[in-house]
Amino acid sequence: MTSPATDHPDLLNGFVPFPPERARQYRDAGYWTGRPLDSVLTRAAATWPGCTAIIDATQRCSFAELEQAADRVAAGVAALGIADGDRVLVQLPNSCRFAVTLFGLLRAGAVPVLCLPGHRAAELGHFARVSGAVALIIADRIAGFDHVAMARDLVADHPHLRHVVVDGDCGPFLPWSTLTDAGAAIAPRPPIDPSRPAVLLVSGGTTGLPKLIARTHDDYLYTATASAAAYGMTAQDTYLVALPAGHNFPLACPGLLGSMTVGAATVFTADPSPENAFALIDRHRVTVTGLVNALAKMWAQACAWEPVPPTSLRVVQVGGSRMSPDDARFLLERLSPGISQIFGMAEGMLNFTRPGDPLDVVMHTQGRPMSPHDEMRVVDENGAEVAPGEEGELLVRGPYTLNGYYRAEDANARSFTSDGFYRTGDRVRVFTDGPRAGYLEVTGRIKDVIHRGGETVSATDLEDHLHTHPGIRAAAAVPLPDAFLGEKICAAVVFAGRPITLSELNAFLDSRGVSVHLRPDVLVALPSLPMTAVGKVDKQRVVRSVTG
Ligand code: OOB
């Protein structure tokens, strides 16, 4: 049995491990296997050496080739003096090189900090400072943005970033070949304590800078293995990474890592537009993918005119933000009968509807917990458990949910209960009977409310109504300061065609019998809603674009 690691004091400084008693339960239950995260590659290369592992726009390689490439990168990483336990920021577009880099770092014992392509100097600087990273691996440009110029500023501000390796035109930094052409194989890595951090993910919140989430070898391998099993994945499946590959959803839920646990191939695309994605799905006979709501809707609409609709898909997971039953129906009818709602978080806990679940469950719930050992509590504003079936904040604890953010004592004091439950900030209700029993519905974020006069208005409720208007393509309800009311309700709307007026909108809400408390005071037309790095509506930026 492994004991808490005593080596790598620097890596472990500010890491909150699982308490020993719960860790023992998870090992006894067989969820935690004690293997390092890169064992998914070792096993796949031994079991399915010649099968396709990864594909992108320019290359394809088998599991054996992926392992060789990762070992070469591991040697390059070691030759740079990057040691076991060192953190390395990775910001790469969706490509085979993302997978090779990830596994190369893991093989070298380094801990990848998985940044998303949309992150900028503010976020990367924060990740560099908090993690104490020694290196940065980037592409020269992603979607027209100059990452080399950004890296120049970063290294000036963060001298502990000793190396920058660039895929592409590297300017003053090291070329990609530094990683691949170091030559000598590295000495076999000492066995890794599976309870230590394997990767650092970034939190998905839209308030403040993202926090770092240390996922352990044990817990992350379990996430990948158990989610692939729950979706019935086999070596015959092919997974498409359409969201940013460093995000938990396409990385391990089941994503790249889950696919690898069963010998399935993974296709990467940096262009998730329906035209491009549908062609790829058709060419590679993709069977499983994961999408955020806005992208899923775009794909569903495009099915009406694209020449090759994505018929090989057997599972389309949709999550990241709330989906109304109407939207779920639309996706089921237009995109795929294999829609699965998934409610997850980089912090760990996953809920999803399973293949074969009744339509009612798929339309009206965000799934049920992945693990029998996921513990949920639904509490009121005083922290007391609500009656079964009532709404409240979801608190969770379990075999793959973090026990504290990395190096974030203040946030941890707020975000965890004394007995180790993570306060998700999500409002949910857990159904108690009928076919939905045990499944949950996410009704909003506890903080996503507007305090108008004496009323507390749920932004989600209003958005659900707004989305039923045929002339509205997308909408966000946000608070605006108001001298008299405290906050007033603003509906920021992307119109599908001719804009409608506030009085027309209110007449429409009237006709739906919507409560007067839920009426917008202000209606603002936007060309598009600002999105986070993974493609969720960024409400803080909505407010900023409305207030100018
Ligand atoms: C996923 O992860 P994150 O870390 O980017 O965001 C987590 C937050 C949740 O706390 C919740 O507020 C929201 O995103 N969320 C949903 C949702 N799925 C996520 N809210 C309502 N309905 C849903 N289905 O977003 C993520 C990670 C793994 C798998 C899927 C999504």
PDB file of all heavy atoms in Angstrom, residues 216-232:
ATOM      1  N   THR A 216      -5.222  13.701  -8.884  1.00  0.00           N
ATOM      2  CA  THR A 216      -4.204  12.688  -8.591  1.00  0.00           C
ATOM      3  C   THR A 216      -4.219  11.587  -9.660  1.00  0.00           C
ATOM      4  O   THR A 216      -5.194  11.443 -10.405  1.00  0.00           O
ATOM      5  CB  THR A 216      -4.442  12.047  -7.218  1.00  0.00           C
ATOM      6  OG1 THR A 216      -5.625  11.241  -7.302  1.00  0.00           O
ATOM      7  CG2 THR A 216      -4.601  13.093  -6.120  1.00  0.00           C
ATOM      8  N   HIS A 217      -3.120  10.820  -9.709  1.00  0.00           N
ATOM      9  CA  HIS A 217      -3.064   9.687 -10.636  1.00  0.00           C
ATOM     10  C   HIS A 217      -4.261   8.772 -10.394  1.00  0.00           C
ATOM     11  O   HIS A 217      -4.958   8.382 -11.328  1.00  0.00           O
ATOM     12  CB  HIS A 217      -1.762   8.903 -10.426  1.00  0.00           C
ATOM     13  CG  HIS A 217      -0.559   9.682 -10.852  1.00  0.00           C
ATOM     14  ND1 HIS A 217      -0.076   9.645 -12.142  1.00  0.00           N
ATOM     15  CD2 HIS A 217       0.240  10.543 -10.177  1.00  0.00           C
ATOM     16  CE1 HIS A 217       0.977  10.448 -12.237  1.00  0.00           C
ATOM     17  NE2 HIS A 217       1.187  11.003 -11.063  1.00  0.00           N
ATOM     18  N   ASP A 218      -4.484   8.418  -9.133  1.00  0.00           N
ATOM     19  CA  ASP A 218      -5.582   7.507  -8.808  1.00  0.00           C
ATOM     20  C   ASP A 218      -6.929   8.068  -9.232  1.00  0.00           C
ATOM     21  O   ASP A 218      -7.734   7.377  -9.859  1.00  0.00           O
ATOM     22  CB  ASP A 218      -5.624   7.274  -7.288  1.00  0.00           C
ATOM     23  CG  ASP A 218      -4.810   6.064  -6.860  1.00  0.00           C
ATOM     24  OD1 ASP A 218      -4.650   5.130  -7.668  1.00  0.00           O
ATOM     25  OD2 ASP A 218      -4.344   6.069  -5.700  1.00  0.00           O
ATOM     26  N   ASP A 219      -7.199   9.328  -8.868  1.00  0.00           N
ATOM     27  CA  ASP A 219      -8.563   9.823  -9.093  1.00  0.00           C
ATOM     28  C   ASP A 219      -8.814  10.109 -10.566  1.00  0.00           C
ATOM     29  O   ASP A 219      -9.924   9.895 -11.065  1.00  0.00           O
ATOM     30  CB  ASP A 219      -8.877  11.015  -8.160  1.00  0.00           C
ATOM     31  CG  ASP A 219      -8.634  12.397  -8.728  1.00  0.00           C
ATOM     32  OD1 ASP A 219      -9.324  12.786  -9.663  1.00  0.00           O
ATOM     33  OD2 ASP A 219      -7.779  13.121  -8.188  1.00  0.00           O
ATOM     34  N   TYR A 220      -7.770  10.539 -11.290  1.00  0.00           N
ATOM     35  CA  TYR A 220      -8.011  10.897 -12.691  1.00  0.00           C
ATOM     36  C   TYR A 220      -8.108   9.656 -13.574  1.00  0.00           C
ATOM     37  O   TYR A 220      -8.909   9.602 -14.503  1.00  0.00           O
ATOM     38  CB  TYR A 220      -6.929  11.862 -13.186  1.00  0.00           C
ATOM     39  CG  TYR A 220      -7.518  12.885 -14.140  1.00  0.00           C
ATOM     40  CD1 TYR A 220      -8.756  13.466 -13.897  1.00  0.00           C
ATOM     41  CD2 TYR A 220      -6.844  13.263 -15.294  1.00  0.00           C
ATOM     42  CE1 TYR A 220      -9.312  14.388 -14.776  1.00  0.00           C
ATOM     43  CE2 TYR A 220      -7.393  14.188 -16.178  1.00  0.00           C
ATOM     44  CZ  TYR A 220      -8.637  14.737 -15.912  1.00  0.00           C
ATOM     45  OH  TYR A 220      -9.199  15.644 -16.789  1.00  0.00           O
ATOM     46  N   LEU A 221      -7.310   8.649 -13.241  1.00  0.00           N
ATOM     47  CA  LEU A 221      -7.401   7.382 -13.979  1.00  0.00           C
ATOM     48  C   LEU A 221      -8.788   6.754 -13.770  1.00  0.00           C
ATOM     49  O   LEU A 221      -9.389   6.209 -14.697  1.00  0.00           O
ATOM     50  CB  LEU A 221      -6.292   6.442 -13.497  1.00  0.00           C
ATOM     51  CG  LEU A 221      -6.043   5.182 -14.295  1.00  0.00           C
ATOM     52  CD1 LEU A 221      -5.840   5.494 -15.769  1.00  0.00           C
ATOM     53  CD2 LEU A 221      -4.810   4.452 -13.749  1.00  0.00           C
ATOM     54  N   TYR A 222      -9.277   6.886 -12.552  1.00  0.00           N
ATOM     55  CA  TYR A 222     -10.625   6.370 -12.263  1.00  0.00           C
ATOM     56  C   TYR A 222     -11.678   7.126 -13.080  1.00  0.00           C
ATOM     57  O   TYR A 222     -12.591   6.523 -13.666  1.00  0.00           O
ATOM     58  CB  TYR A 222     -10.918   6.487 -10.762  1.00  0.00           C
ATOM     59  CG  TYR A 222     -12.335   6.127 -10.388  1.00  0.00           C
ATOM     60  CD1 TYR A 222     -12.879   4.888 -10.740  1.00  0.00           C
ATOM     61  CD2 TYR A 222     -13.147   7.018  -9.689  1.00  0.00           C
ATOM     62  CE1 TYR A 222     -14.183   4.557 -10.410  1.00  0.00           C
ATOM     63  CE2 TYR A 222     -14.450   6.698  -9.356  1.00  0.00           C
ATOM     64  CZ  TYR A 222     -14.964   5.470  -9.726  1.00  0.00           C
ATOM     65  OH  TYR A 222     -16.265   5.146  -9.409  1.00  0.00           O
ATOM     66  N   THR A 223     -11.562   8.450 -13.149  1.00  0.00           N
ATOM     67  CA  THR A 223     -12.502   9.262 -13.941  1.00  0.00           C
ATOM     68  C   THR A 223     -12.553   8.755 -15.383  1.00  0.00           C
ATOM     69  O   THR A 223     -13.631   8.522 -15.946  1.00  0.00           O
ATOM     70  CB  THR A 223     -12.054  10.747 -13.946  1.00  0.00           C
ATOM     71  OG1 THR A 223     -12.074  11.223 -12.612  1.00  0.00           O
ATOM     72  CG2 THR A 223     -12.959  11.598 -14.812  1.00  0.00           C
ATOM     73  N   ALA A 224     -11.366   8.573 -15.967  1.00  0.00           N
ATOM     74  CA  ALA A 224     -11.306   8.170 -17.380  1.00  0.00           C
ATOM     75  C   ALA A 224     -11.878   6.766 -17.566  1.00  0.00           C
ATOM     76  O   ALA A 224     -12.695   6.525 -18.464  1.00  0.00           O
ATOM     77  CB  ALA A 224      -9.850   8.223 -17.858  1.00  0.00           C
ATOM     78  N   THR A 225     -11.468   5.837 -16.701  1.00  0.00           N
ATOM     79  CA  THR A 225     -11.878   4.441 -16.851  1.00  0.00           C
ATOM     80  C   THR A 225     -13.382   4.280 -16.617  1.00  0.00           C
ATOM     81  O   THR A 225     -14.085   3.642 -17.407  1.00  0.00           O
ATOM     82  CB  THR A 225     -11.116   3.554 -15.837  1.00  0.00           C
ATOM     83  OG1 THR A 225      -9.738   3.884 -15.903  1.00  0.00           O
ATOM     84  CG2 THR A 225     -11.314   2.079 -16.112  1.00  0.00           C
ATOM     85  N   ALA A 226     -13.872   4.897 -15.535  1.00  0.00           N
ATOM     86  CA  ALA A 226     -15.275   4.695 -15.179  1.00  0.00           C
ATOM     87  C   ALA A 226     -16.203   5.413 -16.153  1.00  0.00           C
ATOM     88  O   ALA A 226     -17.295   4.911 -16.451  1.00  0.00           O
ATOM     89  CB  ALA A 226     -15.518   5.181 -13.745  1.00  0.00           C
ATOM     90  N   SER A 227     -15.802   6.569 -16.680  1.00  0.00           N
ATOM     91  CA  SER A 227     -16.712   7.252 -17.612  1.00  0.00           C
ATOM     92  C   SER A 227     -16.748   6.503 -18.945  1.00  0.00           C
ATOM     93  O   SER A 227     -17.812   6.376 -19.551  1.00  0.00           O
ATOM     94  CB  SER A 227     -16.367   8.739 -17.771  1.00  0.00           C
ATOM     95  OG  SER A 227     -15.048   8.913 -18.196  1.00  0.00           O
ATOM     96  N   ALA A 228     -15.599   5.988 -19.385  1.00  0.00           N
ATOM     97  CA  ALA A 228     -15.607   5.192 -20.629  1.00  0.00           C
ATOM     98  C   ALA A 228     -16.495   3.958 -20.455  1.00  0.00           C
ATOM     99  O   ALA A 228     -17.264   3.596 -21.352  1.00  0.00           O
ATOM    100  CB  ALA A 228     -14.189   4.785 -21.011  1.00  0.00           C
ATOM    101  N   ALA A 229     -16.415   3.334 -19.288  1.00  0.00           N
ATOM    102  CA  ALA A 229     -17.227   2.130 -19.039  1.00  0.00           C
ATOM    103  C   ALA A 229     -18.712   2.491 -19.013  1.00  0.00           C
ATOM    104  O   ALA A 229     -19.548   1.788 -19.586  1.00  0.00           O
ATOM    105  CB  ALA A 229     -16.806   1.481 -17.718  1.00  0.00           C
ATOM    106  N   ALA A 230     -19.046   3.621 -18.379  1.00  0.00           N
ATOM    107  CA  ALA A 230     -20.466   3.995 -18.267  1.00  0.00           C
ATOM    108  C   ALA A 230     -21.081   4.262 -19.634  1.00  0.00           C
ATOM    109  O   ALA A 230     -22.278   4.044 -19.835  1.00  0.00           O
ATOM    110  CB  ALA A 230     -20.607   5.226 -17.373  1.00  0.00           C
ATOM    111  N   TYR A 231     -20.288   4.731 -20.571  1.00  0.00           N
ATOM    112  CA  TYR A 231     -20.800   4.983 -21.923  1.00  0.00           C
ATOM    113  C   TYR A 231     -20.623   3.758 -22.823  1.00  0.00           C
ATOM    114  O   TYR A 231     -20.842   3.838 -24.028  1.00  0.00           O
ATOM    115  CB  TYR A 231     -20.121   6.215 -22.538  1.00  0.00           C
ATOM    116  CG  TYR A 231     -20.707   7.518 -22.026  1.00  0.00           C
ATOM    117  CD1 TYR A 231     -20.043   8.278 -21.072  1.00  0.00           C
ATOM    118  CD2 TYR A 231     -21.944   7.967 -22.488  1.00  0.00           C
ATOM    119  CE1 TYR A 231     -20.590   9.467 -20.600  1.00  0.00           C
ATOM    120  CE2 TYR A 231     -22.501   9.155 -22.022  1.00  0.00           C
ATOM    121  CZ  TYR A 231     -21.818   9.901 -21.082  1.00  0.00           C
ATOM    122  OH  TYR A 231     -22.373  11.067 -20.629  1.00  0.00           O
ATOM    123  N   GLY A 232     -20.190   2.658 -22.228  1.00  0.00           N
ATOM    124  CA  GLY A 232     -20.053   1.416 -22.993  1.00  0.00           C
ATOM    125  C   GLY A 232     -19.036   1.523 -24.107  1.00  0.00           C
ATOM    126  O   GLY A 232     -19.182   0.902 -25.171  1.00  0.00           O
TER     127      GLY A 232
END
